[in-house]
Amino acid sequence: MSDVSFYDYAKLSTEQRAALLKRSEADLSGVIEKVKPIIEAVRTEGDAALARFARDLDKAENVTEATLQVTPAEFDAAFKAVDSKVIDAIQFGIENIRSFHEEQKPETMWMKEIRPGAYAGDRFTPIQSVALYVPRGKGSFPSVTMMTSVPAVVAGVPNLAIVTPPAPDGSVDAATLVAARLAGVETVYKAGGAQAVAAIAYGTKTVKPALKIVGPGSPWVVAAKRLLSGVIDTGLPAGPSEAVIFADDTINGGLAALDLLIEAEHGPDSSAYLVTHSRRVAEEAMAALPGIWAKMTEQRVAFSRTVLTGGKTGGIILTSSVEESYDFINAYAPEHLEILSTEPYDHLGKITEASEILLGQHTPCSIGNFGLGPNAVLPTSRWARTYGPLSVTDFVKRSSIGYVTAAGFPLLARHAHELAIYEGFSSHALAVSELRQQFVR
């Protein structure tokens, strides 16, 4: 289709190539200035500000200070409102996600004898309170509830809460409540956007503050996390959806087009590229897109067309070689990566910078998003270079443990004493000198 952004990568300048790496939240300066007064209002006004923003920003006229928290009756009603097939799909996904994440859970403590009589190790304990952000603005996301709640419950976090934007009628998405209860979370607050992050950071009369908040969100959520990072642990940076679909010349371009639209349909701020060194695949994908769009809903067509035809965060990239494709993918460091090939493992070893890598023709992002097992809450904006997917380890903290016996002390003390003297720390040195023996029982 002629208006889909098409890039002949070999012909692009250095500046043009760099522009392809930018995400929608790369420049948040304008959003940050709008978020600041929201945060301050929540900090000073608490529930009153949350209810006001629910009405003004979420158009939820029925949300009041008294109805900010979901009631048990609302949970019960959700199970009656959601089709049994959807509930089954949620339960199926939760089982897979739990099975996967249980394998990640570290042992409570381990120790190793480093030297005779000297032991060191780690102890893992759950973070005491974590909030899970579940977006809603461009759709309903029980899948995000599953992906954030299950590893937190597996980790043993004792105080868990979900924050999610209310609908215009003041309700929370019913499937989100079903997923929350089935995963093991019963506390849900009707708050979204920057105001939700502020409420969790500072606490209000209704909303209990948490030590950490995790979950993907809009640029407003990302901006609020940045501003409040000194108040609350904001977890891995997860912003608007992004994906790279890599296809080699063994693939039908129509399949690449089909999967290209998965993350592109999340919203106009998503990012989605098809990267291929095969002109045939690129042309087939271009030709297939109109027919696929004809089968999608109007809203999702609008979102994905904005991404793929806007010329800023999506389109089709034709490289001159498979090595050039690898180079672009590693530079882009995508949130989601599909390797479409009849031999996907041939390519896997060449790609190091991607948070989720889905292999072959039968593993689309849809399956990854809805319950294959690995977590689909992933770092965006090239943070895949240093962050991995959300995991059980995001909900626990590690303490180092050390224990030295009387027999092991002299050897370690002698070397510690030497370094303490060299670095000029007399108290350090005294603590491992003969003086210590006067006080040891």
Side-chain angles (χ1 to χ4, degrees):
M1 190 169 185
S2 60
D3 59 347
V4 172
S5 300
F6 180 86
Y7 305 92
D8 191 333
Y9 196 71
K11 297 179 181 179
L12 299 182
S13 67
T14 300
E15 293 75 16
Q16 289 171 321
R17 291 186 179 191
L20 295 178
L21 305 180
K22 293 182 179 180
R23 272 53 158 202
S24 59
E25 79 269 31
D27 181 10
L28 291 174
S29 55
V31 179
I32 283 176
E33 291 307 310
K34 296 175 182 177
V35 162
K36 285 180 179 178
I38 294 175
I39 291 174
E40 182 59 19
V42 173
R43 187 185 72 82
T44 57
E45 301 174 45
D47 286 351
L50 289 180
R52 184 172 70 252
F53 289 132
R55 294 190 296 269
D56 294 347
L57 301 180
D58 297 313
K59 309 305 179 185
E61 297 295 334
N62 295 332
V63 174
T64 66
E65 294 178 50
T67 61
L68 286 170
Q69 184 169 344
V70 173
T71 65
E74 289 176 279
F75 271 101
D76 294 340
F79 278 81
K80 297 177 182 178
V82 178
D83 186 275
S84 61
K85 291 182 180 179
V86 176
I87 295 177
D88 287 345
I90 290 171
Q91 184 63 61
F92 176 84
I94 285 175
E95 290 172 1
N96 292 350
I97 296 163
R98 181 178 290 115
S99 178
F100 177 88
H101 287 83
E102 283 174 345
E103 294 299 315
Q104 293 181 331
K105 189 175 182 179
E107 56 185 309
T108 303
M109 188 172 79
W110 65 268
M111 293 194 79
K112 177 182 180 180
E113 189 172 24
I114 304 298
R115 295 279 180 172
Y119 302 85
D122 285 326
R123 185 186 68 171
F124 294 88
T125 54
I127 297 171
Q128 290 299 298
S129 58
V130 181
L132 315 171
Y133 188 89
V134 178
R136 184 169 184 174
K138 302 182 188 74
S140 300
F141 298 101
S143 58
V144 175
T145 306
M146 295 151 56
M147 293 292 178
T148 54
S149 298
V150 171
V153 171
V154 169
V157 178
N159 298 293
L160 285 169
I162 290 170
V163 284
T164 188
D169 65 358
S171 68
V172 166
D173 171 59
T176 292
L177 294 182
V178 168
R181 176 168 280 181
L182 291 177
V185 180
E186 294 279 348
T187 301
V188 178
Y189 300 116
K190 300 174 183 179
Q195 59 270 28
V197 181
I200 290 298
Y202 293 117
T204 70
K205 182 179 179 180
T206 298
V207 179
K208 293 182 180 179
L211 298 172
K212 186 172 186 174
I213 184 169
V214 302
S218 68
W220 291 72
V221 172
V222 175
K225 287 182 176 180
R226 289 188 187 178
L227 289 170
L228 291 165
S229 60
V231 180
I232 185 173
D233 182 345
T234 55
L236 67 87
S241 299
E242 56 184 55
V244 167
I245 309 301
F246 165 74
D248 68 13
D249 56 9
T250 67
I251 292 297
N252 184 313
L255 181 65
L258 187 67
D259 287 1
L260 179 63
L261 294 171
I262 296 172
E263 296 302 318
E265 75 169 345
H266 269 282
D269 53 1
S270 297
S271 303
Y273 287 106
L274 165 59
V275 178
T276 182
H277 52 287
S278 168
R279 183 172 291 275
R280 174 190 60 78
V281 169
E283 291 175 351
E284 287 178 354
M286 192 86 73
L289 283 169
I292 301 171
W293 269 322
K295 300 178 185 297
M296 293 167 55
T297 61
E298 184 178 348
Q299 183 190 47
R300 300 302 165 178
V301 170
F303 287 163
S304 57
R305 281 185 60 83
T306 297
V307 172
L308 297 177
T309 66
K312 293 183 178 180
T313 60
I316 297 174
I317 298 174
L318 177 64
T319 62
S320 60
S321 66
V322 67
E323 289 77 18
E324 195 168 66
S325 294
Y326 298 150
D327 289 343
F328 174 81
I329 294 167
N330 285 327
Y332 193 85
E335 176 190 23
H336 303 273
L337 170 67
E338 283 189 29
I339 298 180
L340 288 180
S341 170
T342 56
E343 299 293 339
Y345 286 95
D346 288 350
H347 304 291
L348 180 60
K350 306 297 177 60
I351 297 168
T352 59
E353 311 303 319
S355 186
E356 176 186 68
I357 303 175
L358 302 173
L359 303 174
Q361 300 179 79
H362 306 290
T363 322
C365 288
S366 312
I367 286 179
N369 286 344
F370 294 135
L372 176 61
N375 210 289
V377 175
L378 307 162
T380 57
S381 290
R382 303 180 78 193
W383 285 109
R385 295 177 297 174
T386 57
Y387 283 88
L390 190 71
S391 72
V392 169
T393 57
D394 288 291
F395 297 97
V396 298
K397 58 188 184 295
R398 181 171 58 88
S399 301
S400 296
I401 305 293
Y403 172 62
V404 178
T405 65
F409 177 77
L411 177 62
L412 273 75
R414 175 164 58 85
H415 290 287
H417 189 274
E418 290 296 330
L419 288 173
I421 294 298
Y422 180 83
E423 293 190 2
F425 292 112
S426 56
S427 179
H428 280 62
L430 287 172
V432 290
S433 71
E434 295 180 357
L435 178 63
R436 187 175 197 84
Q437 302 310 312
Q438 298 180 26
F439 305 104
V440 172
R441 293 181 179 180

